[in-house]
Amino acid sequence: MPDLSLFDLTHRTALVTGSSQGIGLALARGLARAGASVVLNGRDETKLAEAVATLKADGLGVQAISFDVTKHDAVREAIDGFERDRGPIDILVNNAGMQHRAALEDFPADRFEALLQTNIASVFHAGQAVARHMIGRGKGKIVNIASVQAALARTSIAPYTATKGAVANLTKGMATDWAKHGLQVNAIAPGYMKTPLNKALVEDPAFTEWLEKRTPAGRWGEVEELVGACIFLASDASSFVNGHTLYVDGALTVSL
């Protein structure tokens, strides 16, 4: 029988930001099934409570902590308080994100700023707050959620593309600074997944037809297909993997 103990997350606590729906909720469920005690996070406390109830109904060990990932002081206060009152965070998944589509020449400045804060600044805020505790313990896992848009561009989402490229590079910087303290920091770059953020595209027959032809796998990805990559990067199986961006995209980014 294969030794799967390297992937076992028992007795570890994982905080997943933006985990009340979509990719974050799928990753939270997957980490919990791998043995982790999972902490859900979101700004909408009603949706957050519903997500907790859903996972608990499946018999999974979850709890929640509500804070705004775009507010540096709020993130620091929430994470410091959790570490003080509930115990160490062993795994951080920086998943919180947003999308806005518009022609670049007409892109609203306030939406651009919101993308910067939600998609990039949040990774810095939560990453720094958690890493300060991980460094003292000499170990920790951080998984940032990037996108195929870290390597590619598509019309109407130039600012989103910029933010995801920044996430990939910030991942490299975090690994470079923190590897010496025993931390592994990596990223997952999902392809086109069926998520609430992509609802309009999923429901657009013309886009789906284009995507199925453009992607060698010939289909949309399912959020559950990101779980294995996340467990790998959150577990001892990736003990010497650092600063890497793992594309989970049906071969989209390697083909013409």
Side-chain angles (χ1 to χ4, degrees), residues 77-88:
E77 181 180 354
I79 287 174
D80 286 354
F82 186 96
E83 288 262 349
R84 180 186 64 248
D85 300 333
R86 304 196 221 177

Side-chain angles (χ1 to χ4, degrees), residues 3-252:
D3 180 8
L4 300 180
S5 62
L6 285 174
F7 299 92
D8 184 12
L9 300 180
T10 302
H11 305 307
R12 301 187 195 184
T13 298
L15 169 62
V16 185
T17 68
S19 48
S20 58
Q21 65 179 3
I23 288 175
L25 182 58
L27 296 181
R29 180 182 286 110
L31 293 171
R33 286 177 173 169
S37 172
V38 174
V39 184
L40 303 184
N41 160 260
R43 287 182 288 192
D44 186 327
E45 294 191 10
T46 299
K47 288 175 64 175
L48 194 58
E50 291 172 354
V52 169
T54 296
L55 296 188
K56 284 187 174 181
D58 291 339
L60 300 175
V62 296
Q63 51 189 316
I65 179 171
S66 180
F67 58 84
D68 185 342
V69 292
T70 70
K71 308 297 184 184
H72 184 82
D73 290 344
V75 173
R76 179 80 179 273
E77 181 180 354
I79 287 174
D80 286 354
F82 186 96
E83 288 262 349
R84 180 186 64 248
D85 300 333
R86 304 196 221 177
I89 296 169
D90 307 292
I91 301 159
L92 168 66
V93 180
N94 276 310
N95 168 76
M98 66 171 290
Q99 176 64 288
H100 185 84
R101 298 179 178 89
L104 184 57
E105 64 272 19
D106 298 318
F107 208 94
D110 63 333
R111 293 295 83 199
F112 180 76
E113 291 297 333
L115 281 163
L116 294 179
Q117 291 302 314
T118 304
N119 294 359
I120 303 175
S122 68
V123 176
F124 167 75
H125 298 329
Q128 184 190 69
V130 171
R132 284 174 168 170
H133 295 278
M134 291 178 170
I135 287 170
R137 294 188 286 268
K139 60 182 179 179
K141 297 279 190 171
I142 298 176
V143 181
N144 299 325
I145 304 303
S147 166
V148 291
Q149 306 303 336
L152 303 173
R154 189 172 64 78
T155 57
S156 80
I157 59 168
Y160 179 85
T161 299
T163 65
K164 291 304 182 177
V167 169
N169 272 342
L170 183 54
T171 298
K172 296 176 184 178
M174 287 176 163
T176 301
D177 273 25
W178 296 336
K180 62 179 177 284
H181 299 295
L183 279 62
Q184 286 90 51
V185 187
N186 295 286
I188 297 172
Y192 282 88
M193 300 286 171
K194 291 181 180 178
T195 68
L197 285 182
N198 286 330
K199 184 175 185 291
L201 299 180
V202 173
E203 294 175 349
D204 182 343
F207 185 87
T208 292
E209 181 182 8
W210 170 84
L211 179 67
E212 290 172 348
K213 291 179 179 178
R214 175 65 181 83
T215 305
R219 61 178 176 83
W220 284 89
E222 302 290 343
V223 291
E224 292 76 16
E225 293 178 292
L226 299 168
V227 170
C230 190
I231 291 172
F232 166 64
L233 294 176
S235 70
D236 291 341
S238 58
S239 60
F240 203 56
V241 180
N242 228 338
H244 178 68
T245 297
L246 175 56
Y247 285 82
V248 184
D249 65 356
L252 176 67

